[in-house]
Amino acid sequence: MGKSKYMKAITVEPKKPGTAKWMDVPEPDMHEGSILVEAVAVGVCGTDVDIVEGKYGWSPHGQQHLVLGHESLGRVIDPGPTGGFKKGDLVVGIVRRPDPVPCPNCAVGEWDMCSNGLYTERGIKEINGYMSERWRIEPEYAVKVDPSLGILGVLLEPATVVAKAIEQVVFISRRSFWEAKTILITGAGPIGLLATLFAKLYGLDVHVLDRMESGAKPDLVRAFGATYHSGSALNIGFKPDTIIECTGVGQVISDCIQQMGANGILCLAGIGHGGTTRSLVTADVAANAVLNNNVIFGSVNANKRHWYKASQALARVDRTSLQKLISRIEKPENFMNALNRKPDDIKVVIQFSEI
Ligand code: BGC
């Protein structure tokens, strides 16, 4: 009997809510990469929820389904002909691929700054993701994970988003003399809490704001040595040098804009939709930004430099703290439970095989 040509995967028909399924799909094709990987775990994030709700996402050209998942962790089954990887290595797959033109940024490896929008992303935009029993990857887009991290390696992708955001803040700060002291992080989800842990490595006075008044999030923030605030950023009692906004919620963003300190930098890292906001008058916001030399900028995705920086930073954080970020583990066939967020959820992970 020949080997089965099918495996199970979590798929969705993008832009059609209610179409997510755990279904048979063909085994990964060689053109997807020379390394064959067995899935260990895949993290779930807001982008996956948006895709399942039909708000975002694109299937590969000419196909109906997109295999979901961009926060991967897998074990190499077959390293293929290129050196550098061996059977059993733990690997994570990079999310974005450069556009084919390529634009100047993609041409120099800064696909996270793609300037023509023709980039593709695994599990999000036109390339199948990592929520399948097996996946293939090109060696140049596979990142080896320290085996001692175990399942915590699944946090590498969100950590890259944080590493890029922090790097950009540091680049922007070079425009003037800058002594960073205080940072406000809005949203105590996985991105906000990883940002908290990384900002602590820089020795900053870290403040985290979330709407939860009690429970796992405030407890974790305090355990990580940061100060927790619930309510509005307007009431935190100081003007932060740096703000990393991870909620994507209009009112929180608007409060952050008003609360920034002189020369302050506000990094928008959350992706939200709609909602209502007590409106700010654009000219007043601009005048305030001018008079305070403020910078408000957006940051998305990560390139190889950030993958390297994130793996270095993750290695420096103690494992007990990282462990606390994974709040729930679900089986792939129960993926809808993983996508339904509960108030105390931080990072929910779908586990495909034992580690
Ligand atoms: C992913 C990024 C991606 C972005 C937009 C995020 O959830 O972490 O890699 O670029 O979504 O698609």
Side-chain angles (χ1 to χ4, degrees), residues 48-121:
D48 300 309
V49 176
D50 283 349
I51 297 174
V52 168
E53 288 178 351
K55 294 179 186 149
Y56 198 64
W58 298 261
S59 52
H61 284 300
Q63 290 178 34
Q64 194 180 354
H65 297 101
L66 168 75
V67 174
L68 206 60
H70 60 277
E71 298 185 5
S72 61
L73 176 67
R75 192 181 298 106
V76 173
I77 309 177
D78 177 359
T82 34
F85 292 88
K86 56 182 190 324
K87 196 171 172 209
D89 278 348
L90 279 185
V91 288
V92 174
I94 290 180
V95 178
R96 196 174 277 198
R97 299 292 176 276
D99 79 77
V101 176
C103 75
N105 297 77
C106 286
V108 300
E110 289 188 354
W111 50 71
D112 58 315
M113 304 295 270
C114 177
S115 50
N116 63 18
L118 297 176
Y119 65 84
T120 51
E121 286 180 338

Side-chain angles (χ1 to χ4, degrees), residues 242-258:
T242 305
I243 305 180
I244 302 197
E245 203 301 302
C246 310
T247 71
V249 175
Q251 191 60 57
V252 179
I253 298 167
S254 148
D255 293 349
C256 287
I257 292 175
Q258 294 174 76

Side-chain angles (χ1 to χ4, degrees), residues 45 47 56 70 95-96 119 121 124 157 161 271 300-302:
C45 87
T47 303
Y56 198 64
H70 60 277
V95 178
R96 196 174 277 198
Y119 65 84
E121 286 180 338
I124 302 174
E157 195 279 341
V161 169
I271 306 173
V300 72
N301 197 252

Side-chain angles (χ1 to χ4, degrees), residues 150-301:
I151 197 159
L152 299 174
V154 79
L155 297 173
L156 184 56
E157 195 279 341
T160 66
V161 169
V162 174
K164 172 179 173 180
I166 293 179
E167 179 200 73
Q168 299 281 304
V169 168
V170 172
F171 284 174
I172 293 169
S173 73
R174 296 204 180 126
R175 71 202 168 122
S176 64
F177 177 78
W178 199 65
E179 247 181 336
K181 287 198 182 78
T182 52
I183 182 167
L184 171 68
I185 294 157
T186 51
I191 298 286
L193 290 173
L194 282 166
T196 305
L197 291 168
F198 291 1
K200 288 298 292 179
L201 295 177
Y202 284 84
L204 297 178
D205 178 14
V206 186
H207 294 252
V208 180
L209 179 135
D210 194 284
R211 60 183 167 186
M212 301 300 289
E213 283 174 5
S214 59
K217 290 180 178 176
D219 292 350
L220 274 187
V221 167
R222 292 184 188 115
F224 294 170
T227 308
Y228 188 82
H229 304 261
S230 60
S232 165
L234 297 175
N235 301 325
I236 58 172
F238 69 101
K239 299 261 179 191
D241 312 318
T242 305
I243 305 180
I244 302 197
E245 203 301 302
C246 310
T247 71
V249 175
Q251 191 60 57
V252 179
I253 298 167
S254 148
D255 293 349
C256 287
I257 292 175
Q258 294 174 76
Q259 194 62 20
M260 291 166 77
N263 305 338
I265 301 173
L266 166 59
C267 169
L268 302 175
I271 306 173
H273 308 269
T276 51
T277 311
R278 289 187 302 276
S279 58
L280 290 179
V281 179
T282 310
D284 294 349
V285 172
N288 195 47
V290 171
L291 294 170
N292 286 296
N293 288 298
N294 287 153
V295 176
I296 302 172
F297 78 100
S299 177
V300 72
N301 197 252

